Amino acid sequence: MPTQVRGARPAHRPSRHRLLSTAAVVALAMTPSLSHAQNAPDDGATLRLLSLNVWSRFDQYPEGPAQFIAPGDYDVIMLQEAGTNTQYGSRLPGLLESAGAGTYQSTTAGSATTLSRLPGTTGTHRSPGISSQGGNVAWARVDAAAGRPETVIGSVHFDYGDGSAKRIAEAKALNDWALSQTGPLIIAGDFNAGDVAERGLHHAEQQAYLFARVMMDGGSSQLWRDLAQQYTPKAARPSSRPMSPR
């Protein structure tokens, strides 16, 4: 059942336009200010969003992440690896309110949690036929305000396995759900983007980590070994030819 988020801001008819975004962090205001949460009405001119994979850290002690998040003055916060076995959904709203960031409602689906301080409703979606974690969406439906139409904002966490089959199925199911929405839709989260991108191999330090793992323990899977081979220049690959004596 959706959870009603109480507020007195004016409502408007939702737009028929639709938006499916894979951005990790969206911030549509310039300078953070905690006074915004307590004093300024939701005029629809700004929408401050944060998507963050907490990486299963501070599961039972979200005080540390709260100190990091509160100064950002976010309207909607989307977390991953913050499921019902953690205290992010239950305790983070109170910690943020104590820090002066506003009053948040939260909802959790699988390992995804969404917190919203804007008037509207929160809820969850589970894609039929999808048993992996990416079939869950924790969403907030934000009421219209001035120039902003009613908007659905959701958090997802796609499957992290080496194969892409589950992520592809999750993406298709997410698109099906997006088509059922009648207004703008913003989806953010950890999409475990693909066999290469999800490991950040465009960063030199991640390439070094990959090589070290493969050399030390053979890598975590055949995919890691294949990637190490692909990222090694041919001239630097080991040769089966015996070395010439000096």
Side-chain angles (χ1 to χ4, degrees):
M1 294 291 293
T3 301
Q4 180 68 35
V5 181
R6 299 186 182 277
R9 297 178 176 89
H12 297 272
R13 293 182 61 83
S15 167
R16 300 291 296 183
H17 294 89
R18 191 176 289 117
L19 171 63
L20 180 60
S21 171
T22 59
V25 179
V26 182
L28 302 182
M30 298 302 292
T31 305
S33 171
L34 291 183
S35 62
H36 168 86
Q38 297 177 324
N39 302 321
D42 179 17
D43 60 7
T46 62
L47 184 60
R48 296 186 61 80
L49 309 179
L50 170 69
S51 177
L52 175 67
N53 186 326
V54 295
W55 213 30
S56 296
R57 297 297 190 267
F58 308 104
D59 284 356
Q60 308 306 315
Y61 306 98
E63 288 85 354
Q67 293 178 20
F68 161 75
I69 293 172
D73 191 33
Y74 299 109
D75 296 314
V76 182
I77 299 164
M78 293 153 284
L79 303 176
Q80 300 82 47
E81 299 197 30
T84 53
N85 61 325
T86 76
Q87 294 196 26
Y88 280 101
S90 59
R91 294 191 56 212
L92 188 57
L95 292 169
L96 294 175
E97 184 171 12
S98 296
T103 302
Y104 290 83
Q105 298 287 335
S106 71
T107 183
T108 298
S111 67
T113 289
T114 293
L115 291 76
S116 174
R117 69 181 182 188
L118 299 178
T121 58
T122 61
T124 62
H125 169 75
R126 177 72 183 179
S127 295
I130 303 295
S131 59
S132 51
Q133 67 185 25
N136 294 293
V137 184
W139 54 262
R141 187 182 304 275
V142 176
D143 289 350
R148 187 190 68 231
E150 182 182 83
T151 303
V152 173
I153 303 168
S155 173
V156 298
H157 186 196
F158 276 15
D159 181 75
Y160 59 86
D162 285 338
S164 60
K166 289 183 179 180
R167 283 188 295 278
I168 292 173
E170 291 166 347
K172 290 180 178 179
L174 181 61
N175 281 331
D176 288 341
W177 180 68
L179 290 173
S180 72
Q181 304 304 305
T182 58
L185 172 65
I186 300 172
I187 295 292
D190 183 351
F191 293 87
N192 281 314
D195 291 342
V196 175
E198 71 187 6
R199 288 170 177 79
L201 294 184
H202 51 290
H203 295 299
E205 61 269 24
Q206 286 302 109
Q207 295 181 33
Y209 173 69
L210 171 70
F211 296 142
R213 279 292 306 272
V214 171
M215 288 187 290
M216 292 296 293
D217 60 14
S220 64
S221 66
Q222 183 60 48
L223 173 63
W224 282 56
R225 293 187 284 275
D226 292 344
L227 289 173
Q229 183 80 358
Q230 294 167 17
Y231 270 75
T232 304
K234 289 184 178 180
R237 294 177 185 175
S239 173
S240 60
R241 294 175 297 177
M243 295 180 64
S244 301
R246 292 188 178 182

